[in-house]
Amino acid sequence: MAHRILIVDDEGHIREVIRVALKKAGMDVIEARDGKEALTRFAANKPDLIVLDIGMPEFDGLDVCREIRVPILFLSARDEEIDRILGLEIGGDDYVTKPFSPRELVARVNVILRRLSPRNGEAKAGPGALSQGGLLIDPEQHVASFAGTPLKLTAIEFGILRAFLTRPTSVFNREQLMRAAYQLNIQVSDRTIDSHIRNIRAKLAAHNCENVIETIHGVGFKLGRCEKEA
């Protein structure tokens, strides 16, 4: 089944360029002209990924990102570091600055899509899978599950859990987690890492797992038991 992509941008010619490139790559495309329309389209069509402009009137891309839990590729006319950091902190998976190459954008979309967990059914683990308690991730397939149920993680969340599962008895400081999780050559604040940790804990708590990551005060974080609460 073709991946469904929602394009959100207030400039029609930008949407057209992205639409043509994504359709040529075999993807289904939905479009929205602003943030409010994006939320409506998202609810009606359940896309696999959103290509989301940051700078839109009324309801901008960062507002949309706060409301939606789905992989996001941000677009922006500005190459300001604050936009990049804030966008990734609240859940974005990657970032492209206008003007952009359509081929590069499609390549980045494909990278994010490969990280998606299966949409239905139990996650299948390969020989390189890592596990602790009920938590399992497969770095080669970019899938994650808890107690057999697929988890929908952002690329950053996946990278953090992969670091923990690679060294399950180690304590990681924030700088180590930044290096493990961020493929982009950017600096992020301690608050950003803390935000991702909170998101991971919330996603596992929804599966009755309250012990996925432990805080070691004054030092950092370590992997917990990753088990369901009795």
Side-chain angles (χ1 to χ4, degrees):
M1 184 181 297
H3 287 290
R4 183 178 298 134
I5 311 298
L6 173 59
I7 304 168
V8 187
D9 198 297
D10 59 334
E11 298 182 64
H13 70 283
I14 295 292
R15 296 198 308 273
E16 181 180 5
V17 168
I18 299 172
R19 179 179 67 247
V20 170
L22 292 177
K23 283 191 171 183
K24 191 175 293 185
M27 301 177 198
D28 292 334
V29 175
I30 312 148
E31 297 181 41
R33 294 164 293 182
D34 55 45
K36 290 184 179 179
E37 186 179 9
L39 296 179
T40 301
R41 298 284 191 189
F42 176 81
N45 296 279
K46 302 299 181 186
D48 299 299
L49 180 144
I50 302 178
V51 178
L52 181 61
D53 185 33
I54 290 179
M56 295 182 293
E58 294 188 33
F59 205 65
D60 68 16
L62 298 179
D63 292 326
V64 173
C65 185
R66 292 185 182 98
E67 298 293 327
I68 289 176
R69 291 300 175 192
V70 69
I72 291 174
L73 174 67
F74 276 118
L75 295 176
S76 179
R78 298 171 291 173
D79 193 21
E80 297 174 5
E81 188 176 63
I82 186 63
D83 276 347
R84 185 187 300 265
I85 291 172
L86 181 57
L88 293 172
E89 177 181 343
I90 64 176
D93 289 85
D94 204 348
Y95 185 105
V96 172
T97 304
K98 300 177 183 178
F100 55 85
S101 159
R103 293 180 67 179
E104 179 188 359
L105 184 142
V106 170
R108 287 175 178 263
V109 166
N110 279 322
V111 167
I112 298 171
L113 290 172
R114 283 197 294 269
R115 295 169 178 149
L116 288 173
S117 299
R119 297 184 67 177
N120 297 293
E122 184 173 334
K124 304 294 185 181
L130 306 167
S131 65
Q132 170 98 328
L135 178 64
L136 180 146
I137 72 167
D138 187 333
E140 292 184 5
Q141 299 183 58
H142 286 280
V143 296
S145 65
F146 181 77
T149 301
L151 296 172
K152 290 196 173 183
L153 304 173
T154 68
I156 304 304
E157 293 162 1
F158 191 96
I160 289 172
L161 284 178
R162 178 175 55 194
F164 281 126
L165 285 163
T166 301
R167 294 164 50 193
T169 62
S170 298
V171 177
F172 290 81
N173 60 35
R174 289 173 175 83
E175 183 179 348
Q176 290 171 316
L177 291 176
M178 289 177 197
R179 290 200 301 266
Y182 281 86
Q183 301 300 314
L184 298 171
N185 185 26
I186 61 172
Q187 295 296 315
V188 297
S189 68
D190 289 354
R191 186 168 61 88
T192 300
I193 291 296
D194 290 350
S195 175
H196 292 307
I197 295 291
R198 284 195 300 272
N199 289 341
I200 292 170
R201 285 171 169 163
K203 289 181 179 182
L204 270 295
H207 296 274
N208 200 28
C209 175
E210 302 282 354
N211 49 52
V212 59
I213 298 173
E214 299 178 11
T215 299
I216 309 300
H217 293 289
V219 182
F221 304 94
K222 71 184 296 287
L223 191 65
R225 293 181 290 111
C226 304
E227 297 174 351
K228 284 190 175 184
E229 297 294 329

